[in-house]
Structure formats: C-alpha cells, structure tokens
Amino acid sequence: MNQRVAIVGVAQTRYQSSRDDARVFELTFEVVERLLDETGLSIWKDINAVVSSGDDYVDGKGISNDQITEVVGAQYRAEHKVAADGAFAVRYALLQVLSGHHDAVMVTAHCKESMIDQNLINNLAFDPLYQRYLGFDLVSAAALQAQRYMHKYGITPEQCAKVVVKSLKNAKNNPYAQVAQDITIEEVLRSPLLADPIRTLDCKPVSDGACALILASEQKAKRITDKPVWIKGIGSCYDAFYLGDRDLADCDSLVVAAQRAYKMAGINNPRNEIDVAEISGEFSYQELLWYEGLGLCGRGEGGKLIDQGVTKMGGELPVNPSGGLLSGCPHHVAGVARVAEVALQMRGEAGARQVPGAKTGLAHGITGPCGQLQCVIILGS
Amino acid sequence: MKREETEAFVLAQPYSAPYEHATGPVGTRFFTELRDNQKILGMKCSGCNIVYMPPRSTCPRCFAKLEEWVELGDEGTLLTYTVVRYHEPTHPTDAPFAYGIIKLDGADTGIGHLLGEVDLKNISIGMRVKAVFKEEREGNLLDIKYFKPI
Ligand SMILES: [Zn+2]
C-alpha cells in the first residue's frame, strides 16, 4: 500500500447468549460510545464515514439503514452497509481512507443471533432453485465438509475436540468471552451429535454482541494515539457457490486470500513471521482446515499442528488467544472482533490473553457455507 | 437503572415471505425433463471440459455462456454425507435423516440431496447410489425422492 492506514481504537461488548435487555442499535451505541470515549474523537468533527456490518434477515428488518444511522452518527451523512462478515467492512473502510477523501472511518458490526433460529436464516444462503428446499443450513453444510475433510486426511474427532478444549481454556483469559471453561476431550466427544460428525460442543454458541473500531490515515493516526496498529496486508477470495463444485476437504479460496495478504505484507513464511492469529472457526474442524489454508502447515496436517501444541498459548504461533468464535461471537461481528483482538495484541493491551512481544498478527473472517468467502488481514505494531 | 430492576420486554413478531423464483431458461428445461421424462440433465463447458450439475448458464471458471446439455446417469458416487439429528421446519423430512453430495455418472460436480432406504449407521464416502423418482412429480429437485445405495 502506498499510504499507511492504522487502527486507532477498538471496542467490544461482552458476548452473551442473549442480550434481551437491548436492541441491536443499542448494542451498537454501547461500543461506539466507548470507542469515542477511549480515543477522545468527536463523531462529528473527526469521523468522516461509517461502514457497518450486519444482516437484515437476522435483524428482522427490510431496510438496512433502519436506526443504525442514528447510533453511528450517520444522519445527514453517509453510512455504508456490508451484509457479509465484518472483516469486509474493515476492507471497505480501509479503501475509504486510501481514497484520500477520508482520514478517519469507523467500522461497526452488530448481531443478535438470539432473535431468531439461525438455521432458518442460514437456509436462505442456499440456492432457491436446486438446494434450499432440501433444508440445508450452515450446520448440515459444515457436517458435509467435516466428514469429507476428516475422511480425506484422516483427521480424528479427538483432534477436532482439542480445538474446543483450547478455545474454551483460552477464553478464561478474555473478559468479553461468553463461554470459558476447562473441558476435556472426552466431554466434547460425549456432547450430543447434531449432524455427524459435528457435536453441539463443536459449534460456536448462539451469541449476541457488537464491535467497533476506527481506521485512520497515518497523519491522523499519529495525532490520535502513540500506539497505532498498521494494516500491512489484506486479501479476500470467493470459492464456488455450490458445495458440490468444490472438494470440501480443501479450502482453496483461503489459500488465495492468504497469499494475497501475505504478498502485500511482505510475508514469506507465515508460520515464522506471524506472532499471533485470530481466526474464524464456526466449527472445531474449521480451525484445523483454516490452518492449512493459511499455510501454517501442509494440506491435511491441521490435526498434527494442534497435536504438536503449536497453536496453544505459549506455542510457536498461538491461535485464538481470545477463545475465538467457539467461546461466543456472533456472525458479522466475528471478523471485526478478530481484527480488534489482534489490534489489542499489537498494542500489548490484551491483558491475560496477551502473547508476549507480538509484533505481527493475522485476523481472518468468513462468510457463507463452509467458508465460501474468505478474508485475511495482516496487522503490525 | 440496574438491569434486574426491570423486566426485559420481548416482542414476538413472526414473518413469512412466500417468494416466486423464476427458474429461467436453464432451470425450466432441467425441471421439465426431470418431471416429464425422469431425465437428469447437466450442462457442459467444452472449453473447460467440465459437466456441471446443477446446470447453469455461465461457466464460473472461464466465463463462457453454456448451452451444451448432457444427459447424466441416474446413478452416482457419494462424495460426502451427514446424518442430521436436529429438527427444523426447513427440513423436508423428520430427523434423523441423511444428506449426501452425489456426483452423478457423467457429471464433474456434485449435487446435495437426501439419502433414503439406507442404514444410517452404514453410509460411507465412495458408496454407489441411485436416484429414486417420485410417482407424482412437480418440477423441482424433490421429484428425486432421494438417492438409495446400490
Ligand atoms: Zn469453462
């Protein structure tokens, strides 16, 4: 990138199974208010534009600007909506700053998954002509991917369960986490089957919350904070829409997205050069598969990587010190929260979940069944 | 005010939206053949030498407009599967039931569908399956009731 763009502040709600005390707009305002307080920025004088991420179907509305404009300071100004994971909202905010027309852009993401059965909403992700009325949703689609992945590469249920154990243990250090506990592999493997081989504890829980952050130009960033977190690289890529067009055991779109981000950031060996990663695994097997797509290990070696303890706290490359999505984080918010968590790591402000001395970090977001759309963002202190 | 001092109000608001999706020229030919002749048609991209199932009008790999129909077999190979054990109103049948992605003979891509007449404990990737057609067909993918092991 010709110009440098930094993250100058982040704010998250605590993630909870239900926030029936507040509307999604009120959740958004919670984080926006805190973000402005912490950065000392004025919504009117400093913030030039807003990109928000959410889903109208989940929100139960038919018009995207319904009340969100009010809580992000967009009335009589501009707000742009991303109906995909919030990592893409970060991408569009970055482009707005790079355009040179804006020097501070706010990103918000909101979602109350508790409002409606997510399987009903996610069934709409499937083609109405050929697949939707067969009843697919993200859980059954993920089960088809998990089965194929585990079959092709000999990944075991125990290796997937280790992801759950690691995530919920890490989450004990994260004050924003919804689920945090010491749990055993056996307990994960004893939890009820939802769709073979996926069990209830293999899935991210239903979650409500919001997250916001501010991106600024280099000049503006240096005036706001002495700890700017630079966006070093970004890459995204779509895989085929139809599940049957892909070999679900491989995540080719993530390979491409990661390579684009690494090239922009000048990273040649991600496993050596990245100090911490926050990735979006909605299901336990996905974390192992995404390790492979991100090039942290070879194809089919995701299980081996977790067996070796490479990605645990204190390992060579800790993945999801926050506990990740398995410890609770709603869709849309997930990608922005991954960026926020890595930004905290780069600032040395991640508290008990801090990876000591982390200088380069990776954040990752996904949208669609079986990680169809992938986004990788490299941050640096 | 502290949260425990007030009761949270929640407004239940059901919503139903019956859409009408045009099936377009490709979908119309596919569903007509399926309904009237129990034939399953794929679409070939000669440039990529790939037969797509479900059929489509544009090749996602080379961007060519596709018009070369190919009749596929009613038998195929199971690429992956799952046994669904939870209940949703979107499901076409009661749980437990099995989904599979099936690569029909003559096609290069798979289609998601139901598996039937099958021992749920005894499904395996690579298994050969055959389409079972409904007696009364309506012109949608459920004109194939399910795929059964052969
Ligand atoms: Zn082609």
Side-chain angles (χ1 to χ4, degrees), chain B residues 45-50 52 59-64 66:
Chain B
C45 175
S46 294
C48 296
N49 199 27
I50 287 176
Y52 289 107
C59 177
R61 298 176 197 232
C62 75
F63 213 58
L66 303 184

PDB file of all heavy atoms in Angstrom, chain B residues 45-50 52 59-64 66, ligand 1:
ATOM      1  N   CYS B  45     -19.297 -27.359 -20.222  1.00  0.00           N
ATOM      2  CA  CYS B  45     -18.432 -26.320 -20.768  1.00  0.00           C
ATOM      3  C   CYS B  45     -17.357 -27.049 -21.567  1.00  0.00           C
ATOM      4  O   CYS B  45     -16.517 -27.742 -20.988  1.00  0.00           O
ATOM      5  CB  CYS B  45     -17.792 -25.459 -19.686  1.00  0.00           C
ATOM      6  SG  CYS B  45     -16.622 -24.271 -20.402  1.00  0.00           S
ATOM      7  N   SER B  46     -17.397 -26.924 -22.896  1.00  0.00           N
ATOM      8  CA  SER B  46     -16.423 -27.628 -23.744  1.00  0.00           C
ATOM      9  C   SER B  46     -15.028 -27.066 -23.536  1.00  0.00           C
ATOM     10  O   SER B  46     -14.044 -27.801 -23.570  1.00  0.00           O
ATOM     11  CB  SER B  46     -16.821 -27.504 -25.211  1.00  0.00           C
ATOM     12  OG  SER B  46     -18.025 -28.181 -25.425  1.00  0.00           O
ATOM     13  N   GLY B  47     -14.946 -25.758 -23.309  1.00  0.00           N
ATOM     14  CA  GLY B  47     -13.642 -25.118 -23.095  1.00  0.00           C
ATOM     15  C   GLY B  47     -12.935 -25.703 -21.886  1.00  0.00           C
ATOM     16  O   GLY B  47     -11.729 -25.964 -21.913  1.00  0.00           O
ATOM     17  N   CYS B  48     -13.661 -25.907 -20.806  1.00  0.00           N
ATOM     18  CA  CYS B  48     -13.066 -26.427 -19.564  1.00  0.00           C
ATOM     19  C   CYS B  48     -13.185 -27.944 -19.480  1.00  0.00           C
ATOM     20  O   CYS B  48     -12.625 -28.558 -18.574  1.00  0.00           O
ATOM     21  CB  CYS B  48     -13.742 -25.795 -18.354  1.00  0.00           C
ATOM     22  SG  CYS B  48     -13.510 -24.022 -18.239  1.00  0.00           S
ATOM     23  N   ASN B  49     -13.971 -28.535 -20.401  1.00  0.00           N
ATOM     24  CA  ASN B  49     -14.270 -29.968 -20.369  1.00  0.00           C
ATOM     25  C   ASN B  49     -14.829 -30.402 -19.007  1.00  0.00           C
ATOM     26  O   ASN B  49     -14.368 -31.358 -18.388  1.00  0.00           O
ATOM     27  CB  ASN B  49     -13.026 -30.792 -20.736  1.00  0.00           C
ATOM     28  CG  ASN B  49     -13.410 -32.200 -21.160  1.00  0.00           C
ATOM     29  OD1 ASN B  49     -14.517 -32.426 -21.659  1.00  0.00           O
ATOM     30  ND2 ASN B  49     -12.516 -33.152 -20.926  1.00  0.00           N
ATOM     31  N   ILE B  50     -15.828 -29.625 -18.552  1.00  0.00           N
ATOM     32  CA  ILE B  50     -16.479 -29.911 -17.271  1.00  0.00           C
ATOM     33  C   ILE B  50     -17.985 -29.990 -17.492  1.00  0.00           C
ATOM     34  O   ILE B  50     -18.547 -29.167 -18.213  1.00  0.00           O
ATOM     35  CB  ILE B  50     -16.173 -28.788 -16.250  1.00  0.00           C
ATOM     36  CG1 ILE B  50     -14.719 -28.885 -15.783  1.00  0.00           C
ATOM     37  CG2 ILE B  50     -17.106 -28.855 -15.042  1.00  0.00           C
ATOM     38  CD1 ILE B  50     -14.314 -27.778 -14.861  1.00  0.00           C
ATOM     39  N   TYR B  52     -21.386 -29.620 -15.564  1.00  0.00           N
ATOM     40  CA  TYR B  52     -21.894 -29.070 -14.306  1.00  0.00           C
ATOM     41  C   TYR B  52     -23.242 -29.651 -13.922  1.00  0.00           C
ATOM     42  O   TYR B  52     -24.146 -29.763 -14.746  1.00  0.00           O
ATOM     43  CB  TYR B  52     -22.048 -27.542 -14.405  1.00  0.00           C
ATOM     44  CG  TYR B  52     -20.738 -26.813 -14.431  1.00  0.00           C
ATOM     45  CD1 TYR B  52     -20.262 -26.231 -15.608  1.00  0.00           C
ATOM     46  CD2 TYR B  52     -19.968 -26.688 -13.276  1.00  0.00           C
ATOM     47  CE1 TYR B  52     -19.053 -25.551 -15.631  1.00  0.00           C
ATOM     48  CE2 TYR B  52     -18.759 -26.009 -13.291  1.00  0.00           C
ATOM     49  CZ  TYR B  52     -18.311 -25.441 -14.471  1.00  0.00           C
ATOM     50  OH  TYR B  52     -17.122 -24.768 -14.486  1.00  0.00           O
ATOM     51  N   CYS B  59     -20.221 -20.483 -17.264  1.00  0.00           N
ATOM     52  CA  CYS B  59     -19.164 -21.277 -16.640  1.00  0.00           C
ATOM     53  C   CYS B  59     -18.430 -20.405 -15.632  1.00  0.00           C
ATOM     54  O   CYS B  59     -17.880 -19.368 -16.004  1.00  0.00           O
ATOM     55  CB  CYS B  59     -18.179 -21.796 -17.688  1.00  0.00           C
ATOM     56  SG  CYS B  59     -16.815 -22.720 -16.934  1.00  0.00           S
ATOM     57  N   PRO B  60     -18.407 -20.807 -14.354  1.00  0.00           N
ATOM     58  CA  PRO B  60     -17.743 -19.975 -13.351  1.00  0.00           C
ATOM     59  C   PRO B  60     -16.221 -19.939 -13.523  1.00  0.00           C
ATOM     60  O   PRO B  60     -15.562 -19.055 -13.009  1.00  0.00           O
ATOM     61  CB  PRO B  60     -18.131 -20.637 -12.020  1.00  0.00           C
ATOM     62  CG  PRO B  60     -18.526 -22.026 -12.374  1.00  0.00           C
ATOM     63  CD  PRO B  60     -19.036 -21.993 -13.777  1.00  0.00           C
ATOM     64  N   ARG B  61     -15.676 -20.915 -14.275  1.00  0.00           N
ATOM     65  CA  ARG B  61     -14.217 -20.956 -14.432  1.00  0.00           C
ATOM     66  C   ARG B  61     -13.723 -20.105 -15.587  1.00  0.00           C
ATOM     67  O   ARG B  61     -12.697 -19.444 -15.478  1.00  0.00           O
ATOM     68  CB  ARG B  61     -13.745 -22.394 -14.644  1.00  0.00           C
ATOM     69  CG  ARG B  61     -14.071 -23.254 -13.440  1.00  0.00           C
ATOM     70  CD  ARG B  61     -13.712 -24.708 -13.667  1.00  0.00           C
ATOM     71  NE  ARG B  61     -14.406 -25.499 -12.666  1.00  0.00           N
ATOM     72  CZ  ARG B  61     -13.821 -26.385 -11.880  1.00  0.00           C
ATOM     73  NH1 ARG B  61     -12.538 -26.623 -11.988  1.00  0.00           N
ATOM     74  NH2 ARG B  61     -14.531 -27.049 -11.002  1.00  0.00           N
ATOM     75  N   CYS B  62     -14.424 -20.165 -16.751  1.00  0.00           N
ATOM     76  CA  CYS B  62     -13.916 -19.459 -17.939  1.00  0.00           C
ATOM     77  C   CYS B  62     -14.858 -18.385 -18.440  1.00  0.00           C
ATOM     78  O   CYS B  62     -14.573 -17.709 -19.416  1.00  0.00           O
ATOM     79  CB  CYS B  62     -13.602 -20.452 -19.052  1.00  0.00           C
ATOM     80  SG  CYS B  62     -15.077 -21.089 -19.862  1.00  0.00           S
ATOM     81  N   PHE B  63     -16.024 -18.242 -17.796  1.00  0.00           N
ATOM     82  CA  PHE B  63     -16.966 -17.174 -18.109  1.00  0.00           C
ATOM     83  C   PHE B  63     -17.708 -17.394 -19.425  1.00  0.00           C
ATOM     84  O   PHE B  63     -18.352 -16.501 -19.938  1.00  0.00           O
ATOM     85  CB  PHE B  63     -16.233 -15.815 -18.125  1.00  0.00           C
ATOM     86  CG  PHE B  63     -17.091 -14.681 -17.662  1.00  0.00           C
ATOM     87  CD1 PHE B  63     -17.675 -14.699 -16.407  1.00  0.00           C
ATOM     88  CD2 PHE B  63     -17.328 -13.586 -18.481  1.00  0.00           C
ATOM     89  CE1 PHE B  63     -18.472 -13.649 -15.975  1.00  0.00           C
ATOM     90  CE2 PHE B  63     -18.124 -12.529 -18.063  1.00  0.00           C
ATOM     91  CZ  PHE B  63     -18.694 -12.567 -16.801  1.00  0.00           C
ATOM     92  N   ALA B  64     -17.606 -18.599 -20.004  1.00  0.00           N
ATOM     93  CA  ALA B  64     -18.305 -18.870 -21.266  1.00  0.00           C
ATOM     94  C   ALA B  64     -19.807 -18.998 -21.022  1.00  0.00           C
ATOM     95  O   ALA B  64     -20.234 -19.411 -19.947  1.00  0.00           O
ATOM     96  CB  ALA B  64     -17.770 -20.156 -21.883  1.00  0.00           C
ATOM     97  N   LEU B  66     -23.025 -21.065 -21.533  1.00  0.00           N
ATOM     98  CA  LEU B  66     -23.162 -22.519 -21.689  1.00  0.00           C
ATOM     99  C   LEU B  66     -24.503 -22.885 -22.310  1.00  0.00           C
ATOM    100  O   LEU B  66     -25.544 -22.377 -21.905  1.00  0.00           O
ATOM    101  CB  LEU B  66     -23.009 -23.212 -20.324  1.00  0.00           C
ATOM    102  CG  LEU B  66     -21.702 -22.942 -19.570  1.00  0.00           C
ATOM    103  CD1 LEU B  66     -21.644 -23.761 -18.291  1.00  0.00           C
ATOM    104  CD2 LEU B  66     -20.491 -23.248 -20.447  1.00  0.00           C
TER     105      LEU B  66
HETATM  106 ZN    ZN C   1     -15.498 -23.086 -18.751  1.00  0.00          ZN
END
